[in-house]
PDB file of all heavy atoms in Angstrom:
ATOM      1  N   GLN B   1       0.838  -1.184   0.027  1.00  0.00           N
ATOM      2  CA  GLN B   1      -0.006   0.012  -0.027  1.00  0.00           C
ATOM      3  C   GLN B   1       0.857   1.276   0.028  1.00  0.00           C
ATOM      4  O   GLN B   1       0.531   2.225  -0.627  1.00  0.00           O
ATOM      5  CB  GLN B   1      -0.920   0.000   1.225  1.00  0.00           C
ATOM      6  CG  GLN B   1      -2.016   1.094   1.156  1.00  0.00           C
ATOM      7  CD  GLN B   1      -2.885   0.874  -0.033  1.00  0.00           C
ATOM      8  OE1 GLN B   1      -3.406  -0.195  -0.236  1.00  0.00           O
ATOM      9  NE2 GLN B   1      -3.154   2.009  -0.773  1.00  0.00           N
ATOM     10  N   ALA B   2       1.982   1.221   0.709  1.00  0.00           N
ATOM     11  CA  ALA B   2       2.850   2.424   0.759  1.00  0.00           C
ATOM     12  C   ALA B   2       3.419   2.751  -0.554  1.00  0.00           C
ATOM     13  O   ALA B   2       3.366   3.983  -1.006  1.00  0.00           O
ATOM     14  CB  ALA B   2       4.037   2.109   1.745  1.00  0.00           C
ATOM     15  N   LEU B   3       3.729   1.764  -1.434  1.00  0.00           N
ATOM     16  CA  LEU B   3       4.304   2.065  -2.726  1.00  0.00           C
ATOM     17  C   LEU B   3       3.151   2.494  -3.729  1.00  0.00           C
ATOM     18  O   LEU B   3       3.313   3.320  -4.516  1.00  0.00           O
ATOM     19  CB  LEU B   3       5.045   0.883  -3.257  1.00  0.00           C
ATOM     20  CG  LEU B   3       6.381   0.617  -2.649  1.00  0.00           C
ATOM     21  CD1 LEU B   3       7.038  -0.696  -3.168  1.00  0.00           C
ATOM     22  CD2 LEU B   3       7.291   1.748  -2.698  1.00  0.00           C
ATOM     23  N   MET B   4       1.963   1.851  -3.535  1.00  0.00           N
ATOM     24  CA  MET B   4       0.881   2.261  -4.400  1.00  0.00           C
ATOM     25  C   MET B   4       0.496   3.669  -4.125  1.00  0.00           C
ATOM     26  O   MET B   4       0.121   4.417  -5.003  1.00  0.00           O
ATOM     27  CB  MET B   4      -0.350   1.342  -4.179  1.00  0.00           C
ATOM     28  CG  MET B   4      -0.062  -0.049  -4.790  1.00  0.00           C
ATOM     29  SD  MET B   4      -1.603  -1.128  -4.694  1.00  0.00           S
ATOM     30  CE  MET B   4      -1.654  -1.648  -3.002  1.00  0.00           C
ATOM     31  N   ASP B   5       0.456   4.055  -2.810  1.00  0.00           N
ATOM     32  CA  ASP B   5       0.102   5.474  -2.375  1.00  0.00           C
ATOM     33  C   ASP B   5       1.206   6.459  -2.939  1.00  0.00           C
ATOM     34  O   ASP B   5       0.868   7.524  -3.344  1.00  0.00           O
ATOM     35  CB  ASP B   5      -0.005   5.557  -0.928  1.00  0.00           C
ATOM     36  CG  ASP B   5      -1.229   4.777  -0.380  1.00  0.00           C
ATOM     37  OD1 ASP B   5      -2.180   4.582  -1.109  1.00  0.00           O
ATOM     38  OD2 ASP B   5      -1.218   4.614   0.877  1.00  0.00           O
ATOM     39  N   CYS B   6       2.467   6.052  -2.830  1.00  0.00           N
ATOM     40  CA  CYS B   6       3.539   6.835  -3.341  1.00  0.00           C
ATOM     41  C   CYS B   6       3.433   7.113  -4.847  1.00  0.00           C
ATOM     42  O   CYS B   6       3.542   8.281  -5.306  1.00  0.00           O
ATOM     43  CB  CYS B   6       4.901   6.130  -2.960  1.00  0.00           C
ATOM     44  SG  CYS B   6       6.312   7.097  -3.495  1.00  0.00           S
ATOM     45  N   GLN B   7       3.139   5.981  -5.614  1.00  0.00           N
ATOM     46  CA  GLN B   7       2.937   6.256  -6.994  1.00  0.00           C
ATOM     47  C   GLN B   7       1.733   7.122  -7.359  1.00  0.00           C
ATOM     48  O   GLN B   7       1.812   7.945  -8.277  1.00  0.00           O
ATOM     49  CB  GLN B   7       2.761   4.731  -7.695  1.00  0.00           C
ATOM     50  CG  GLN B   7       2.574   4.815  -9.162  1.00  0.00           C
ATOM     51  CD  GLN B   7       2.822   3.477  -9.772  1.00  0.00           C
ATOM     52  OE1 GLN B   7       3.679   3.271 -10.575  1.00  0.00           O
ATOM     53  NE2 GLN B   7       1.835   2.558  -9.492  1.00  0.00           N
ATOM     54  N   ARG B   8       0.685   6.853  -6.656  1.00  0.00           N
ATOM     55  CA  ARG B   8      -0.492   7.739  -6.894  1.00  0.00           C
ATOM     56  C   ARG B   8      -0.217   9.215  -6.627  1.00  0.00           C
ATOM     57  O   ARG B   8      -0.541  10.054  -7.407  1.00  0.00           O
ATOM     58  CB  ARG B   8      -1.701   7.252  -6.044  1.00  0.00           C
ATOM     59  CG  ARG B   8      -2.931   8.106  -6.038  1.00  0.00           C
ATOM     60  CD  ARG B   8      -4.006   7.522  -5.245  1.00  0.00           C
ATOM     61  NE  ARG B   8      -4.547   6.366  -5.930  1.00  0.00           N
ATOM     62  CZ  ARG B   8      -5.495   6.354  -6.899  1.00  0.00           C
ATOM     63  NH1 ARG B   8      -5.955   7.556  -7.277  1.00  0.00           N
ATOM     64  NH2 ARG B   8      -5.940   5.271  -7.350  1.00  0.00           N
ATOM     65  N   ASN B   9       0.461   9.460  -5.494  1.00  0.00           N
ATOM     66  CA  ASN B   9       0.830  10.907  -5.257  1.00  0.00           C
ATOM     67  C   ASN B   9       1.732  11.506  -6.287  1.00  0.00           C
ATOM     68  O   ASN B   9       1.643  12.635  -6.575  1.00  0.00           O
ATOM     69  CB  ASN B   9       1.478  10.921  -3.787  1.00  0.00           C
ATOM     70  CG  ASN B   9       0.422  10.728  -2.731  1.00  0.00           C
ATOM     71  OD1 ASN B   9      -0.711  10.952  -2.849  1.00  0.00           O
ATOM     72  ND2 ASN B   9       0.919  10.230  -1.623  1.00  0.00           N
ATOM     73  N   ALA B  10       2.592  10.622  -6.760  1.00  0.00           N
ATOM     74  CA  ALA B  10       3.561  11.148  -7.807  1.00  0.00           C
ATOM     75  C   ALA B  10       2.862  11.494  -9.181  1.00  0.00           C
ATOM     76  O   ALA B  10       3.379  12.185 -10.005  1.00  0.00           O
ATOM     77  CB  ALA B  10       4.650  10.056  -8.103  1.00  0.00           C
ATOM     78  N   ILE B  11       1.636  10.995  -9.331  1.00  0.00           N
ATOM     79  CA  ILE B  11       0.831  11.396 -10.455  1.00  0.00           C
ATOM     80  C   ILE B  11      -0.077  12.536 -10.129  1.00  0.00           C
ATOM     81  O   ILE B  11      -0.345  13.367 -10.995  1.00  0.00           O
ATOM     82  CB  ILE B  11      -0.045  10.093 -10.829  1.00  0.00           C
ATOM     83  CG1 ILE B  11       0.847   9.003 -11.344  1.00  0.00           C
ATOM     84  CG2 ILE B  11      -1.078  10.491 -11.934  1.00  0.00           C
ATOM     85  CD1 ILE B  11       0.204   7.712 -11.607  1.00  0.00           C
ATOM     86  N   LEU B  12      -0.583  12.684  -8.894  1.00  0.00           N
ATOM     87  CA  LEU B  12      -1.501  13.657  -8.479  1.00  0.00           C
ATOM     88  C   LEU B  12      -0.792  15.042  -8.201  1.00  0.00           C
ATOM     89  O   LEU B  12      -1.410  16.028  -8.280  1.00  0.00           O
ATOM     90  CB  LEU B  12      -2.314  13.246  -7.315  1.00  0.00           C
ATOM     91  CG  LEU B  12      -3.238  11.991  -7.467  1.00  0.00           C
ATOM     92  CD1 LEU B  12      -3.880  11.635  -6.258  1.00  0.00           C
ATOM     93  CD2 LEU B  12      -4.202  12.224  -8.623  1.00  0.00           C
ATOM     94  N   GLU B  13       0.398  14.995  -7.684  1.00  0.00           N
ATOM     95  CA  GLU B  13       1.056  16.222  -7.119  1.00  0.00           C
ATOM     96  C   GLU B  13       1.656  17.168  -8.127  1.00  0.00           C
ATOM     97  O   GLU B  13       1.708  18.364  -7.923  1.00  0.00           O
ATOM     98  CB  GLU B  13       2.143  15.799  -6.157  1.00  0.00           C
ATOM     99  CG  GLU B  13       1.654  15.200  -4.887  1.00  0.00           C
ATOM    100  CD  GLU B  13       2.752  14.634  -3.983  1.00  0.00           C
ATOM    101  OE1 GLU B  13       3.879  14.374  -4.503  1.00  0.00           O
ATOM    102  OE2 GLU B  13       2.464  14.496  -2.763  1.00  0.00           O
ATOM    103  N   PRO B  14       2.151  16.711  -9.339  1.00  0.00           N
ATOM    104  CA  PRO B  14       2.743  17.664 -10.281  1.00  0.00           C
ATOM    105  C   PRO B  14       1.791  18.699 -10.719  1.00  0.00           C
ATOM    106  O   PRO B  14       0.508  18.570 -10.758  1.00  0.00           O
ATOM    107  CB  PRO B  14       3.201  16.776 -11.490  1.00  0.00           C
ATOM    108  CG  PRO B  14       3.432  15.437 -10.782  1.00  0.00           C
ATOM    109  CD  PRO B  14       2.344  15.276  -9.741  1.00  0.00           C
ATOM    110  N   ASP B  15       2.349  19.821 -11.263  1.00  0.00           N
ATOM    111  CA  ASP B  15       1.553  20.967 -11.774  1.00  0.00           C
ATOM    112  C   ASP B  15       0.965  20.588 -13.188  1.00  0.00           C
ATOM    113  O   ASP B  15      -0.042  21.083 -13.551  1.00  0.00           O
ATOM    114  CB  ASP B  15       2.383  22.220 -11.836  1.00  0.00           C
ATOM    115  CG  ASP B  15       2.827  22.630 -10.495  1.00  0.00           C
ATOM    116  OD1 ASP B  15       1.999  22.910  -9.641  1.00  0.00           O
ATOM    117  OD2 ASP B  15       4.092  22.712 -10.186  1.00  0.00           O
ATOM    118  N   ARG B  16       1.730  19.856 -13.901  1.00  0.00           N
ATOM    119  CA  ARG B  16       1.345  19.358 -15.224  1.00  0.00           C
ATOM    120  C   ARG B  16       1.801  17.943 -15.535  1.00  0.00           C
ATOM    121  O   ARG B  16       2.927  17.628 -15.095  1.00  0.00           O
ATOM    122  CB  ARG B  16       1.886  20.311 -16.326  1.00  0.00           C
ATOM    123  CG  ARG B  16       1.497  19.982 -17.720  1.00  0.00           C
ATOM    124  CD  ARG B  16      -0.077  20.168 -17.887  1.00  0.00           C
ATOM    125  NE  ARG B  16      -0.435  21.513 -17.750  1.00  0.00           N
ATOM    126  CZ  ARG B  16      -0.530  22.395 -18.712  1.00  0.00           C
ATOM    127  NH1 ARG B  16      -0.162  22.085 -19.949  1.00  0.00           N
ATOM    128  NH2 ARG B  16      -0.818  23.669 -18.461  1.00  0.00           N
ATOM    129  N   VAL B  17       0.987  17.134 -15.987  1.00  0.00           N
ATOM    130  CA  VAL B  17       1.308  15.702 -16.266  1.00  0.00           C
ATOM    131  C   VAL B  17       1.355  15.494 -17.706  1.00  0.00           C
ATOM    132  O   VAL B  17       0.358  15.876 -18.461  1.00  0.00           O
ATOM    133  CB  VAL B  17       0.361  14.798 -15.542  1.00  0.00           C
ATOM    134  CG1 VAL B  17       0.615  13.298 -15.935  1.00  0.00           C
ATOM    135  CG2 VAL B  17       0.313  14.906 -13.981  1.00  0.00           C
ATOM    136  N   LEU B  18       2.398  14.844 -18.244  1.00  0.00           N
ATOM    137  CA  LEU B  18       2.493  14.460 -19.572  1.00  0.00           C
ATOM    138  C   LEU B  18       2.495  12.883 -19.737  1.00  0.00           C
ATOM    139  O   LEU B  18       2.937  12.189 -18.775  1.00  0.00           O
ATOM    140  CB  LEU B  18       3.788  14.993 -20.208  1.00  0.00           C
ATOM    141  CG  LEU B  18       4.037  16.424 -20.050  1.00  0.00           C
ATOM    142  CD1 LEU B  18       5.435  16.779 -20.649  1.00  0.00           C
ATOM    143  CD2 LEU B  18       2.967  17.318 -20.439  1.00  0.00           C
ATOM    144  N   VAL B  19       2.096  12.374 -20.876  1.00  0.00           N
ATOM    145  CA  VAL B  19       2.304  10.925 -21.127  1.00  0.00           C
ATOM    146  C   VAL B  19       2.821  10.845 -22.551  1.00  0.00           C
ATOM    147  O   VAL B  19       2.869  11.800 -23.264  1.00  0.00           O
ATOM    148  CB  VAL B  19       0.932  10.235 -21.010  1.00  0.00           C
ATOM    149  CG1 VAL B  19       0.438  10.089 -19.597  1.00  0.00           C
ATOM    150  CG2 VAL B  19      -0.183  10.883 -21.938  1.00  0.00           C
ATOM    151  N   VAL B  20       3.218   9.562 -22.925  1.00  0.00           N
ATOM    152  CA  VAL B  20       3.788   9.462 -24.270  1.00  0.00           C
ATOM    153  C   VAL B  20       2.900   8.736 -25.237  1.00  0.00           C
ATOM    154  O   VAL B  20       3.229   8.480 -26.394  1.00  0.00           O
ATOM    155  CB  VAL B  20       5.159   8.702 -24.177  1.00  0.00           C
ATOM    156  CG1 VAL B  20       6.235   9.577 -23.467  1.00  0.00           C
ATOM    157  CG2 VAL B  20       5.016   7.339 -23.438  1.00  0.00           C
ATOM    158  N   SER B  21       1.656   8.406 -24.728  1.00  0.00           N
ATOM    159  CA  SER B  21       0.742   7.643 -25.667  1.00  0.00           C
ATOM    160  C   SER B  21      -0.713   7.869 -25.237  1.00  0.00           C
ATOM    161  O   SER B  21      -0.971   8.240 -24.121  1.00  0.00           O
ATOM    162  CB  SER B  21       1.094   6.150 -25.586  1.00  0.00           C
ATOM    163  OG  SER B  21       0.760   5.669 -24.351  1.00  0.00           O
ATOM    164  N   LYS B  22      -1.588   7.692 -26.186  1.00  0.00           N
ATOM    165  CA  LYS B  22      -3.023   7.814 -25.956  1.00  0.00           C
ATOM    166  C   LYS B  22      -3.502   6.744 -24.879  1.00  0.00           C
ATOM    167  O   LYS B  22      -4.437   6.983 -24.123  1.00  0.00           O
ATOM    168  CB  LYS B  22      -3.797   7.563 -27.198  1.00  0.00           C
ATOM    169  CG  LYS B  22      -3.641   8.654 -28.220  1.00  0.00           C
ATOM    170  CD  LYS B  22      -4.337   8.383 -29.557  1.00  0.00           C
ATOM    171  CE  LYS B  22      -4.097   9.371 -30.604  1.00  0.00           C
ATOM    172  NZ  LYS B  22      -4.767   9.075 -31.863  1.00  0.00           N
ATOM    173  N   THR B  23      -2.870   5.577 -24.948  1.00  0.00           N
ATOM    174  CA  THR B  23      -3.261   4.507 -23.978  1.00  0.00           C
ATOM    175  C   THR B  23      -3.036   4.920 -22.582  1.00  0.00           C
ATOM    176  O   THR B  23      -3.990   4.729 -21.685  1.00  0.00           O
ATOM    177  CB  THR B  23      -2.354   3.276 -24.239  1.00  0.00           C
ATOM    178  OG1 THR B  23      -2.551   2.842 -25.649  1.00  0.00           O
ATOM    179  CG2 THR B  23      -2.695   2.163 -23.246  1.00  0.00           C
ATOM    180  N   TRP B  24      -1.951   5.580 -22.249  1.00  0.00           N
ATOM    181  CA  TRP B  24      -1.682   5.948 -20.899  1.00  0.00           C
ATOM    182  C   TRP B  24      -2.472   7.278 -20.513  1.00  0.00           C
ATOM    183  O   TRP B  24      -2.775   7.471 -19.429  1.00  0.00           O
ATOM    184  CB  TRP B  24      -0.173   6.072 -20.621  1.00  0.00           C
ATOM    185  CG  TRP B  24       0.451   4.776 -20.534  1.00  0.00           C
ATOM    186  CD1 TRP B  24       1.095   4.070 -21.404  1.00  0.00           C
ATOM    187  CD2 TRP B  24       0.315   3.921 -19.369  1.00  0.00           C
ATOM    188  NE1 TRP B  24       1.468   2.845 -20.957  1.00  0.00           N
ATOM    189  CE2 TRP B  24       0.962   2.668 -19.655  1.00  0.00           C
ATOM    190  CE3 TRP B  24      -0.322   3.930 -18.104  1.00  0.00           C
ATOM    191  CZ2 TRP B  24       1.029   1.576 -18.836  1.00  0.00           C
ATOM    192  CZ3 TRP B  24      -0.242   2.876 -17.224  1.00  0.00           C
ATOM    193  CH2 TRP B  24       0.464   1.677 -17.568  1.00  0.00           C
ATOM    194  N   GLN B  25      -2.733   8.091 -21.499  1.00  0.00           N
ATOM    195  CA  GLN B  25      -3.611   9.240 -21.310  1.00  0.00           C
ATOM    196  C   GLN B  25      -4.953   8.827 -20.786  1.00  0.00           C
ATOM    197  O   GLN B  25      -5.520   9.319 -19.777  1.00  0.00           O
ATOM    198  CB  GLN B  25      -3.674  10.038 -22.535  1.00  0.00           C
ATOM    199  CG  GLN B  25      -4.505  11.359 -22.320  1.00  0.00           C
ATOM    200  CD  GLN B  25      -4.716  12.164 -23.612  1.00  0.00           C
ATOM    201  OE1 GLN B  25      -5.126  11.522 -24.605  1.00  0.00           O
ATOM    202  NE2 GLN B  25      -4.358  13.367 -23.600  1.00  0.00           N
ATOM    203  N   GLU B  26      -5.562   7.778 -21.388  1.00  0.00           N
ATOM    204  CA  GLU B  26      -6.824   7.281 -20.999  1.00  0.00           C
ATOM    205  C   GLU B  26      -6.795   6.668 -19.640  1.00  0.00           C
ATOM    206  O   GLU B  26      -7.676   6.784 -18.846  1.00  0.00           O
ATOM    207  CB  GLU B  26      -7.389   6.320 -22.105  1.00  0.00           C
ATOM    208  CG  GLU B  26      -8.704   5.768 -21.804  1.00  0.00           C
ATOM    209  CD  GLU B  26      -9.846   6.766 -21.762  1.00  0.00           C
ATOM    210  OE1 GLU B  26      -9.592   7.958 -22.144  1.00  0.00           O
ATOM    211  OE2 GLU B  26     -10.905   6.421 -21.345  1.00  0.00           O
ATOM    212  N   ARG B  27      -5.703   5.860 -19.453  1.00  0.00           N
ATOM    213  CA  ARG B  27      -5.654   5.155 -18.158  1.00  0.00           C
ATOM    214  C   ARG B  27      -5.506   6.155 -16.955  1.00  0.00           C
ATOM    215  O   ARG B  27      -6.121   5.908 -15.881  1.00  0.00           O
ATOM    216  CB  ARG B  27      -4.438   4.147 -18.143  1.00  0.00           C
ATOM    217  CG  ARG B  27      -4.702   2.945 -18.970  1.00  0.00           C
ATOM    218  CD  ARG B  27      -3.729   1.824 -18.565  1.00  0.00           C
ATOM    219  NE  ARG B  27      -3.689   1.478 -17.172  1.00  0.00           N
ATOM    220  CZ  ARG B  27      -2.939   0.538 -16.679  1.00  0.00           C
ATOM    221  NH1 ARG B  27      -2.099  -0.170 -17.475  1.00  0.00           N
ATOM    222  NH2 ARG B  27      -3.005   0.246 -15.397  1.00  0.00           N
ATOM    223  N   LEU B  28      -4.764   7.168 -17.121  1.00  0.00           N
ATOM    224  CA  LEU B  28      -4.593   8.242 -16.090  1.00  0.00           C
ATOM    225  C   LEU B  28      -5.891   8.914 -15.868  1.00  0.00           C
ATOM    226  O   LEU B  28      -6.298   9.215 -14.672  1.00  0.00           O
ATOM    227  CB  LEU B  28      -3.514   9.173 -16.380  1.00  0.00           C
ATOM    228  CG  LEU B  28      -2.078   8.692 -16.402  1.00  0.00           C
ATOM    229  CD1 LEU B  28      -1.146   9.894 -16.388  1.00  0.00           C
ATOM    230  CD2 LEU B  28      -1.741   7.847 -15.252  1.00  0.00           C
ATOM    231  N   ARG B  29      -6.645   9.199 -16.860  1.00  0.00           N
ATOM    232  CA  ARG B  29      -7.980   9.783 -16.710  1.00  0.00           C
ATOM    233  C   ARG B  29      -8.924   8.869 -16.006  1.00  0.00           C
ATOM    234  O   ARG B  29      -9.619   9.351 -15.065  1.00  0.00           O
ATOM    235  CB  ARG B  29      -8.525  10.167 -18.074  1.00  0.00           C
ATOM    236  CG  ARG B  29      -9.836  10.985 -18.012  1.00  0.00           C
ATOM    237  CD  ARG B  29     -10.448  11.150 -19.398  1.00  0.00           C
ATOM    238  NE  ARG B  29     -10.928   9.832 -19.954  1.00  0.00           N
ATOM    239  CZ  ARG B  29     -12.021   9.321 -19.503  1.00  0.00           C
ATOM    240  NH1 ARG B  29     -12.865   9.825 -18.634  1.00  0.00           N
ATOM    241  NH2 ARG B  29     -12.373   8.115 -20.034  1.00  0.00           N
ATOM    242  N   VAL B  30      -8.989   7.667 -16.344  1.00  0.00           N
ATOM    243  CA  VAL B  30      -9.937   6.652 -15.773  1.00  0.00           C
ATOM    244  C   VAL B  30      -9.555   6.283 -14.372  1.00  0.00           C
ATOM    245  O   VAL B  30     -10.315   6.277 -13.404  1.00  0.00           O
ATOM    246  CB  VAL B  30     -10.127   5.406 -16.672  1.00  0.00           C
ATOM    247  CG1 VAL B  30     -10.953   4.387 -15.953  1.00  0.00           C
ATOM    248  CG2 VAL B  30     -10.755   5.772 -17.950  1.00  0.00           C
ATOM    249  N   GLU B  31      -8.305   5.954 -14.151  1.00  0.00           N
ATOM    250  CA  GLU B  31      -7.804   5.318 -12.918  1.00  0.00           C
ATOM    251  C   GLU B  31      -7.446   6.402 -11.806  1.00  0.00           C
ATOM    252  O   GLU B  31      -7.509   6.115 -10.620  1.00  0.00           O
ATOM    253  CB  GLU B  31      -6.651   4.423 -13.141  1.00  0.00           C
ATOM    254  CG  GLU B  31      -7.028   3.230 -14.039  1.00  0.00           C
ATOM    255  CD  GLU B  31      -5.830   2.308 -14.382  1.00  0.00           C
ATOM    256  OE1 GLU B  31      -4.806   2.378 -13.690  1.00  0.00           O
ATOM    257  OE2 GLU B  31      -5.913   1.526 -15.241  1.00  0.00           O
ATOM    258  N   TYR B  32      -7.008   7.579 -12.311  1.00  0.00           N
ATOM    259  CA  TYR B  32      -6.518   8.575 -11.303  1.00  0.00           C
ATOM    260  C   TYR B  32      -7.178   9.973 -11.443  1.00  0.00           C
ATOM    261  O   TYR B  32      -7.089  10.825 -10.580  1.00  0.00           O
ATOM    262  CB  TYR B  32      -4.979   8.850 -11.525  1.00  0.00           C
ATOM    263  CG  TYR B  32      -4.198   7.684 -11.343  1.00  0.00           C
ATOM    264  CD1 TYR B  32      -3.867   6.732 -12.290  1.00  0.00           C
ATOM    265  CD2 TYR B  32      -3.623   7.370  -9.989  1.00  0.00           C
ATOM    266  CE1 TYR B  32      -3.119   5.586 -12.040  1.00  0.00           C
ATOM    267  CE2 TYR B  32      -2.846   6.272  -9.738  1.00  0.00           C
ATOM    268  CZ  TYR B  32      -2.626   5.426 -10.742  1.00  0.00           C
ATOM    269  OH  TYR B  32      -1.883   4.244 -10.500  1.00  0.00           O
ATOM    270  N   GLY B  33      -8.106  10.058 -12.389  1.00  0.00           N
ATOM    271  CA  GLY B  33      -8.843  11.303 -12.569  1.00  0.00           C
ATOM    272  C   GLY B  33      -7.913  12.466 -12.959  1.00  0.00           C
ATOM    273  O   GLY B  33      -8.203  13.619 -12.727  1.00  0.00           O
ATOM    274  N   VAL B  34      -6.868  12.121 -13.672  1.00  0.00           N
ATOM    275  CA  VAL B  34      -5.799  13.156 -14.120  1.00  0.00           C
ATOM    276  C   VAL B  34      -5.866  13.341 -15.539  1.00  0.00           C
ATOM    277  O   VAL B  34      -5.813  12.455 -16.387  1.00  0.00           O
ATOM    278  CB  VAL B  34      -4.375  12.686 -13.601  1.00  0.00           C
ATOM    279  CG1 VAL B  34      -3.356  13.601 -14.254  1.00  0.00           C
ATOM    280  CG2 VAL B  34      -4.364  12.704 -12.198  1.00  0.00           C
ATOM    281  N   ASP B  35      -5.983  14.647 -15.937  1.00  0.00           N
ATOM    282  CA  ASP B  35      -5.859  15.023 -17.323  1.00  0.00           C
ATOM    283  C   ASP B  35      -4.413  15.217 -17.733  1.00  0.00           C
ATOM    284  O   ASP B  35      -3.622  15.820 -16.977  1.00  0.00           O
ATOM    285  CB  ASP B  35      -6.623  16.346 -17.638  1.00  0.00           C
ATOM    286  CG  ASP B  35      -8.152  16.122 -17.524  1.00  0.00           C
ATOM    287  OD1 ASP B  35      -8.646  15.023 -17.906  1.00  0.00           O
ATOM    288  OD2 ASP B  35      -8.817  17.043 -17.062  1.00  0.00           O
ATOM    289  N   SER B  36      -4.033  14.697 -18.807  1.00  0.00           N
ATOM    290  CA  SER B  36      -2.582  14.803 -19.254  1.00  0.00           C
ATOM    291  C   SER B  36      -2.496  15.117 -20.708  1.00  0.00           C
ATOM    292  O   SER B  36      -3.405  15.015 -21.483  1.00  0.00           O
ATOM    293  CB  SER B  36      -1.893  13.409 -18.957  1.00  0.00           C
ATOM    294  OG  SER B  36      -2.528  12.375 -19.679  1.00  0.00           O
ATOM    295  N   SER B  37      -1.275  15.607 -21.092  1.00  0.00           N
ATOM    296  CA  SER B  37      -1.026  15.975 -22.425  1.00  0.00           C
ATOM    297  C   SER B  37      -0.031  14.923 -23.002  1.00  0.00           C
ATOM    298  O   SER B  37       0.852  14.427 -22.384  1.00  0.00           O
ATOM    299  CB  SER B  37      -0.326  17.316 -22.510  1.00  0.00           C
ATOM    300  OG  SER B  37      -1.027  18.338 -21.854  1.00  0.00           O
ATOM    301  N   ILE B  38      -0.366  14.590 -24.293  1.00  0.00           N
ATOM    302  CA  ILE B  38       0.572  13.580 -25.007  1.00  0.00           C
ATOM    303  C   ILE B  38       1.703  14.212 -25.626  1.00  0.00           C
ATOM    304  O   ILE B  38       1.556  15.174 -26.439  1.00  0.00           O
ATOM    305  CB  ILE B  38      -0.282  12.801 -26.004  1.00  0.00           C
ATOM    306  CG1 ILE B  38      -1.439  12.125 -25.389  1.00  0.00           C
ATOM    307  CG2 ILE B  38       0.637  11.818 -26.867  1.00  0.00           C
ATOM    308  CD1 ILE B  38      -2.367  11.400 -26.429  1.00  0.00           C
ATOM    309  N   VAL B  39       2.917  13.761 -25.384  1.00  0.00           N
ATOM    310  CA  VAL B  39       4.126  14.161 -26.025  1.00  0.00           C
ATOM    311  C   VAL B  39       4.814  12.926 -26.394  1.00  0.00           C
ATOM    312  O   VAL B  39       5.414  12.232 -25.539  1.00  0.00           O
ATOM    313  CB  VAL B  39       5.018  15.073 -25.183  1.00  0.00           C
ATOM    314  CG1 VAL B  39       6.260  15.540 -25.955  1.00  0.00           C
ATOM    315  CG2 VAL B  39       4.268  16.297 -24.736  1.00  0.00           C
ATOM    316  N   THR B  40       4.939  12.556 -27.610  1.00  0.00           N
ATOM    317  CA  THR B  40       5.472  11.267 -27.945  1.00  0.00           C
ATOM    318  C   THR B  40       6.968  11.151 -27.875  1.00  0.00           C
ATOM    319  O   THR B  40       7.640  12.243 -27.769  1.00  0.00           O
ATOM    320  CB  THR B  40       5.101  10.942 -29.482  1.00  0.00           C
ATOM    321  OG1 THR B  40       5.544  12.003 -30.337  1.00  0.00           O
ATOM    322  CG2 THR B  40       3.628  10.792 -29.636  1.00  0.00           C
ATOM    323  N   ASN B  41       7.458   9.986 -27.766  1.00  0.00           N
ATOM    324  CA  ASN B  41       8.962   9.726 -27.728  1.00  0.00           C
ATOM    325  C   ASN B  41       9.581  10.064 -29.019  1.00  0.00           C
ATOM    326  O   ASN B  41       8.856  10.182 -30.102  1.00  0.00           O
ATOM    327  CB  ASN B  41       9.172   8.290 -27.365  1.00  0.00           C
ATOM    328  CG  ASN B  41       9.582   8.112 -25.967  1.00  0.00           C
ATOM    329  OD1 ASN B  41      10.408   8.832 -25.483  1.00  0.00           O
ATOM    330  ND2 ASN B  41       9.008   7.134 -25.256  1.00  0.00           N
ATOM    331  N   GLY B  42      10.854  10.223 -29.036  1.00  0.00           N
ATOM    332  CA  GLY B  42      11.616  10.519 -30.232  1.00  0.00           C
ATOM    333  C   GLY B  42      12.798   9.427 -30.385  1.00  0.00           C
ATOM    334  O   GLY B  42      13.035   8.630 -29.572  1.00  0.00           O
TER     335      GLY B  42
END
């Protein structure tokens, strides 16, 4: 639980959250209620 809470806070606490794919953008929205911007890898 401690690590799950730590990971959740690391997603909720930043001022802006980015992801590298649509898949993870949707997962963060559904599982954490976090809106994110997609910036793909290079």
Side-chain angles (χ1 to χ4, degrees):
Q1 191 61 49
L3 289 179
M4 288 188 284
D5 291 343
C6 181
Q7 180 167 246
R8 173 175 290 276
N9 288 333
I11 295 171
L12 298 177
E13 290 174 338
D15 299 300
R16 180 65 63 89
V17 174
L18 313 182
V19 291
V20 294
S21 65
K22 294 177 182 176
T23 300
W24 285 102
Q25 183 184 50
E26 180 65 11
R27 284 197 58 177
L28 292 194
R29 186 187 66 79
V30 171
E31 297 176 18
Y32 296 88
V34 169
D35 291 327
S36 58
S37 302
I38 299 174
V39 182
T40 56
N41 257 314

